[in-house]
Amino acid sequence: IPEAATVNLEQTPLISEADPNADPFALNKVRSPDDVRGVGEPVGDELTGAEFNKMIESLKRIFPNSQIALRFEAKLEELINGKLTAIDGKYLKRVITLALDTKNKLEALDHEIIHALRDLDVFTDAEWNALKKSALSNEAIMADVRKAYPEYKGERLAEEAVAELHKGWVSG
């Protein structure tokens, strides 16, 4: 795995599914993509060394004090409109969880980063309102968000729209 073994994660809050009860803020268990291969059910799309390194770089840049943990699961599902639906990632209680079976883990991470930043109250009111205005006025983003989250309204819908706006901006 190219360069993955050289990544120093002593201060990077990553956890693997193999030890879900570990303290995510004191972990250094996931040192390379090899540590998340074979976790849970077999998946067709494994985590590559390049993806892994980009995720670590992104998290260290945005969260230099290791405020957020990253976790991997074979797949993720959420109840949406009464139906269990596959999802790419989720954010809850300072942990970003990504599905290993998602096609683009980096985009999923970029989306979840907005939820983490919002939870940590990083944005000023003016910044958040500007992001919301931009996202809510983007018809393509809003169509996608309404389709993906039909039950969401108000601020919850707006946050998903901002997360999608950010994901699109980062991916170019």
Side-chain angles (χ1 to χ4, degrees), residues 114 117-118 123-137 158 161-163 165-166:
I114 289 298
L117 290 170
R118 185 78 169 134
F123 301 107
T124 66
D125 287 344
E127 290 168 336
W128 185 249
N129 288 333
L131 288 168
K132 275 189 351 187
K133 182 178 179 182
S134 180
L136 294 173
S137 67
V162 171
L165 179 73
H166 174 71

Side-chain angles (χ1 to χ4, degrees), residues 104-122:
N104 195 324
K105 293 164 207 55
L106 293 169
E107 284 186 2
L109 176 65
D110 291 332
H111 175 104
E112 299 306 327
I113 281 172
I114 289 298
H115 298 303
L117 290 170
R118 185 78 169 134
D119 181 48
L120 293 173
D121 204 24
V122 171

Side-chain angles (χ1 to χ4, degrees), residues 57-77:
E57 291 167 8
S58 182
L59 287 171
K60 283 185 173 183
R61 185 181 65 254
I62 296 169
F63 304 104
N65 298 321
S66 300
Q67 302 101 315
I68 300 297
L70 178 61
R71 154 185 204 109
F72 299 95
E73 292 191 16
K75 67 181 187 175
L76 294 172
E77 296 178 320

Side-chain angles (χ1 to χ4, degrees), residues 79-83 85 150-151:
L79 198 61
I80 298 175
N81 276 349
K83 180 182 174 192
T85 306
E151 74 284 4

